[in-house]
Amino acid sequence: MNRISPDRLGGNVFQTIGKQWMLVGASADGRVNAMTASWGGMGVLWNKNVVFVFLRPQRFTKTLVDKAEYFSLSFFGEEDRGMLTYMGRVSGRDEDKIAAQGLNFELVNGAPVFEKAQTTLICRKLYRQTLDEKCFIDGTIAEKNYPAKDWHDVYVAEITDIFTA
């Protein structure tokens, strides 16, 4: 694992998050879990390098993110697509899916850094808010993406560390 500064982070965020996906990982109450996500972004807010991610209320990983100060975003190569698919379909409430996929990790500020990840961001939570149906300017987005009214929580988090393979 090599630590780099945020200004050295390469890649196309639209590709790495939207197409390649990421694992959102967190640890709390002696449990570690991660889930696949493809909604989020990176930028500068409040004079900090930040990420923003969206988590639905029914996801087990969200319960850990809510309890923890830090979480991680991990990015893998195409060879790990099967693992990412599995991590998005199986709930950590039902099994230890990290162990089931043979993922080794270490905790940095309480957030998992996976050995196989090409890049991992350690993120300190700054803000969380549940999306509000009344705030959608284009109502078709809410209709299409939230038929069950299970609004995502959006998290804004400061990138505190970046590790690369």
Side-chain angles (χ1 to χ4, degrees), residues 27-47:
S27 175
D29 300 332
R31 303 264 327 252
V32 177
N33 197 54
M35 61 172 265
T36 304
S38 64
W39 287 9
M42 297 180 210
V44 177
L45 183 64
W46 306 315
N47 300 312

Side-chain angles (χ1 to χ4, degrees), residues 95-159:
E95 67 178 70
D96 182 348
K97 58 187 182 175
I98 292 172
Q101 290 298 298
L103 292 171
N104 297 315
F105 66 89
E106 67 179 76
L107 296 176
V108 175
N109 289 334
V113 176
F114 296 99
E115 189 176 273
K116 287 183 68 176
Q118 293 177 347
T119 304
T120 299
L121 311 179
I122 303 298
C123 308
R124 185 175 66 86
K125 294 185 308 186
L126 301 174
Y127 181 83
R128 179 199 57 80
Q129 183 170 348
T130 304
L131 296 180
D132 183 341
E133 182 175 19
K134 297 180 299 242
C135 295
F136 281 90
I137 296 167
D138 179 347
T140 63
I141 294 171
E143 291 168 15
K144 177 182 176 189
N145 293 284
Y146 301 98
K149 308 291 187 197
D150 57 341
W151 311 105
H152 281 97
D153 277 5
V154 60
Y155 295 81
V156 177
E158 178 181 15
I159 302 168

